Amino acid sequence: METLGFYSDQARSDVRVDTAIAAAEYEQHAVNAHHAATLVAIHSVLEEARFSPEVFVGDHASRFSREDVEFAAYVEFSERAAIADLAVRLALSENTVRSHEHQAVTMISRTPILWQRFRWGDVSPANARTVAELAASLPEGDRAAFAAFDAAVVEHATRLAPARFRAYARKLREQIVADTAVERHQAEASLRCVTFEPDLEGMAWISAYLPADVATAAMALLDAEALRLSAVHGETRTMPQLRADVFGDMITGAGGGSVAMRVGVLIPMLTLLGQTESPASLEGYGPIDAETARRLAGDATSIYRILTDPVTGAILDIDQPTKHIPEGLRRMRQLIDQTCTFPGCGKRAMNCDLDHTIDRQFGGQTTLMNLSHLCRNHHRDKHQTKWTITQDAAGRIEWTSPTGYVAAPDPPPF
């Protein structure tokens, strides 16, 4: 009887496991289908914005321009305003909204079989993104290539994990367009770039998109130098650490010969005096530890220092790189904003326009609390669409979308 009870309990356990796995499969299919439905909804909003631009623009743009705005421009303004509206409501970046619609349009037009399986929930969002990315890179108008790619990837997209599927799909894509490899490489090489991404604990990522031969040679150089240093007596750094240090020394000139530029660091007064260990804020990055902040404030010639109240965070004093007051005002606003002040926009303030919230032509003054940084796209949206911005006496900024949604301001950077 005990034996029968054991098998009975195990049988019930097997049923529970099978049931749980089935539930997980069902829920994952639902997640996949819901993600696809989100792409459809985003595409529908943007299509409506293009078809009926008056919803997002109306006659608003003409009041801020002396020249007539062509209908195509109204459509462009409407699309940008709608993308911003969706981004704020969905708590996504505008680039994500654009990429979601681009993914939907690409899959609908180039991989309809895969798209339908995605709508049914059979394909994960990660695999669907891979399909859209690779399908978008196929030769424009080559319907035979579209159909061949669509038919070949659909089965594997439903059963392979993302990394494995991506490797398979890339290989398939290369086989389909093998006869244009040289031209495609030249086109892709024109997109080479370097990107910077702040991380936590005083760290950041730098990524470079390079031709494969250049990247391979660079890694070989890093490896060789790191290996040489690892053989030095007393060296305790790991190979990854050595590669990172060699890379940093190479691109900065090991402390010499670097391009001169000034970066701001906001330091609470008590932190500077050594009485607290409250973090400071490095311009373009974010929080840094107190010790690093004091070092930068003391001996880094490329840093300009901004003292802040330890309780309220209000700016108490700022280094003046020039004697001109407008420059100091610009520096102060730049350090207050850190980025474009549109909700969710991460464009650095130093690369944005410094805009009068109330335009000078309407009586706006050039004061700290009537200025804010806007990237070029959001600057245009402010003037050419129904997006509106307000700023109170304390500098608190609010944006209202064309559909009436009031976006709460992002948290202050310090």
Side-chain angles (χ1 to χ4, degrees):
M1 295 297 293
E2 291 179 359
T3 301
L4 291 175
F6 170 79
Y7 283 116
S8 178
D9 289 343
Q10 185 169 0
R12 287 195 294 270
S13 178
D14 291 342
V15 170
R16 288 195 296 269
V17 169
D18 289 342
T19 301
I21 290 176
E25 291 177 330
Y26 175 84
E27 295 299 339
Q28 186 59 56
H29 273 71
V31 168
N32 298 343
H34 283 311
H35 187 82
T38 299
L39 304 191
V40 172
I42 288 174
H43 177 51
S44 297
V45 171
L46 298 185
E47 279 289 273
E48 192 64 32
R50 299 180 190 109
F51 183 76
S52 304
E54 66 276 3
V55 175
F56 290 89
V57 179
D59 63 351
H60 186 75
S62 61
R63 292 187 286 129
F64 294 91
S65 176
R66 295 182 179 180
E67 300 178 359
D68 292 332
V69 179
E70 299 293 337
F71 180 77
Y74 271 93
V75 173
E76 178 186 351
F77 298 149
S78 176
E79 180 180 350
R80 285 210 310 266
I83 288 172
D85 203 345
L86 284 165
V88 170
R89 288 175 181 266
L90 302 180
L92 300 173
S93 71
E94 292 181 40
N95 282 340
T96 298
V97 173
R98 289 189 180 92
S99 68
H100 279 355
E101 197 211 12
H102 181 262
Q103 179 182 343
V105 171
T106 299
M107 295 179 71
I108 290 169
S109 62
R110 299 194 175 195
T111 57
I113 300 174
L114 196 290
W115 171 251
Q116 189 58 59
R117 296 295 294 274
F118 186 32
R119 293 293 307 275
W120 289 343
D122 296 336
V123 179
S124 69
N127 284 356
R129 282 193 297 271
T130 293
V131 168
E133 176 189 337
L134 296 178
S137 68
L138 294 172
E140 189 70 32
D142 190 342
R143 295 186 178 277
F146 301 162
F149 184 74
D150 192 16
V153 298
V154 63
E155 178 184 354
H156 296 277
T158 62
R159 64 181 185 83
L160 291 182
R164 192 64 66 87
F165 173 71
R166 183 171 182 82
Y168 167 81
R170 285 184 62 194
K171 179 180 179 180
L172 175 63
R173 184 259 185 196
E174 290 300 317
Q175 291 173 344
I176 292 175
V177 295
D179 57 336
T180 60
V182 174
E183 293 85 354
R184 288 185 292 104
H185 171 71
Q186 292 175 344
E188 199 64 22
S190 68
L191 303 178
R192 58 193 182 277
C193 63
V194 175
T195 59
F196 172 82
E197 180 183 358
D199 206 341
L200 301 176
E201 313 300 347
M203 301 297 287
W205 293 93
I206 291 181
S207 302
Y209 188 52
L210 299 169
D213 57 333
V214 176
T216 302
M219 279 305 300
L221 181 61
L222 289 177
D223 283 342
E225 181 62 8
L227 188 62
R228 184 189 69 80
L229 291 173
S230 69
V232 175
H233 179 70
E235 180 59 66
T236 60
R237 290 174 291 179
T238 65
M239 283 296 289
Q241 291 170 343
L242 286 167
R243 290 190 191 96
D245 292 344
V246 170
F247 176 74
D249 289 343
M250 287 172 59
I251 62 176
T252 61
S258 59
V259 177
M261 60 181 301
R262 291 171 62 85
V263 178
V265 59
L266 294 95
I267 312 173
M269 182 175 61
L270 296 181
T271 297
L272 182 63
L273 296 175
Q275 297 180 20
T276 70
E277 295 299 305
S278 299
S281 179
L282 185 65
E283 178 185 12
Y285 173 80
I288 57 174
D289 63 277
E291 181 179 349
T292 300
R294 285 191 287 267
R295 177 176 58 79
L296 293 177
D299 58 17
T301 58
S302 61
I303 296 291
Y304 61 91
R305 294 145 286 269
I306 302 91
L307 288 180
T308 64
D309 186 285
V311 177
T312 66
I315 292 178
L316 302 176
D317 195 17
I318 183 172
D319 284 348
Q320 291 288 344
T322 71
K323 295 182 180 179
H324 301 295
I325 295 177
E327 174 65 8
L329 185 64
R330 186 186 70 80
R331 290 287 189 186
M332 188 174 291
R333 191 71 245 183
Q334 183 174 313
L335 267 297
I336 290 173
D337 293 339
Q338 295 282 306
T339 66
C340 170
T341 54
F342 188 87
C345 184
K347 187 83 169 182
R348 294 180 63 181
M350 65 184 297
N351 298 322
C352 293
D353 300 333
L354 187 56
D355 176 67
H356 287 75
T357 302
I358 301 176
D359 291 350
R360 284 176 293 180
Q361 61 179 318
F362 301 127
Q365 301 296 309
T366 305
T367 62
L368 186 65
M369 296 309 170
N370 190 48
L371 294 171
S372 69
H373 283 87
L374 301 178
C375 69
R376 187 56 53 87
N377 284 338
H378 291 133
H379 195 172
R380 289 171 178 158
D381 289 346
K382 172 178 178 275
H383 292 296
Q384 301 289 1
T385 76
K386 290 183 180 179
W387 273 98
T388 59
I389 179 176
T390 59
Q391 187 173 10
D392 62 21
R396 186 176 184 272
I397 293 171
E398 280 191 346
W399 284 83
T400 302
S401 79
T403 56
Y405 180 81
V406 178
D410 290 337
F414 56 92

